[in-house]
Amino acid sequence: MTVLGSCGAFPEPGRACSGFAVDWDGYRLLLDLGYATLPRLLAHWARRAGARRLMLTHFWPGNDRAASVAAARKEFGGEVLAAEEGLTVMLGRN
């Protein structure tokens, strides 16, 4: 089980509310997925899958894009992009 966050109802800067990801024998379960845990969750599963790049694509008004990218980058360790209109991403093995 991975703890994605442990803050209460509103996360402190650089942290996330409560959230847990369980990976066991090919089974995945999310528990109590709170505010600001999604970037950490995506990075966690992308890293386990061997992905080299992660793109966050859904942001809502008032969401701190830079903080979401920073949280995902900290967990993932690879390249993390924030989607925006007009962004072109080259695909391939290089």
Side-chain angles (χ1 to χ4, degrees), residues 45-70:
W45 280 345
R47 187 183 68 243
R48 290 180 57 90
R52 295 182 305 196
R53 182 185 294 161
L54 176 66
M55 181 182 293
L56 303 180
T57 60
H58 288 73
F59 297 93
W60 57 91
N63 180 252
D64 186 341
R65 295 168 68 94
S68 294
V69 169

Side-chain angles (χ1 to χ4, degrees), residues 5-82:
S6 61
C7 283
F10 191 78
E12 300 168 14
R15 296 186 61 202
C17 291
S18 295
F20 306 90
V22 177
D23 296 281
W24 180 68
D25 197 27
Y27 182 77
R28 291 182 173 165
L29 173 67
L30 297 177
L31 300 169
D32 195 22
L33 195 59
Y35 181 80
T37 57
L38 186 58
R40 294 167 187 235
L41 172 68
L42 295 174
H44 169 73
W45 280 345
R47 187 183 68 243
R48 290 180 57 90
R52 295 182 305 196
R53 182 185 294 161
L54 176 66
M55 181 182 293
L56 303 180
T57 60
H58 288 73
F59 297 93
W60 57 91
N63 180 252
D64 186 341
R65 295 168 68 94
S68 294
V69 169
R73 188 173 287 133
K74 180 178 178 184
E75 176 71 27
F76 180 53
E79 182 181 7
V80 178
L81 305 170

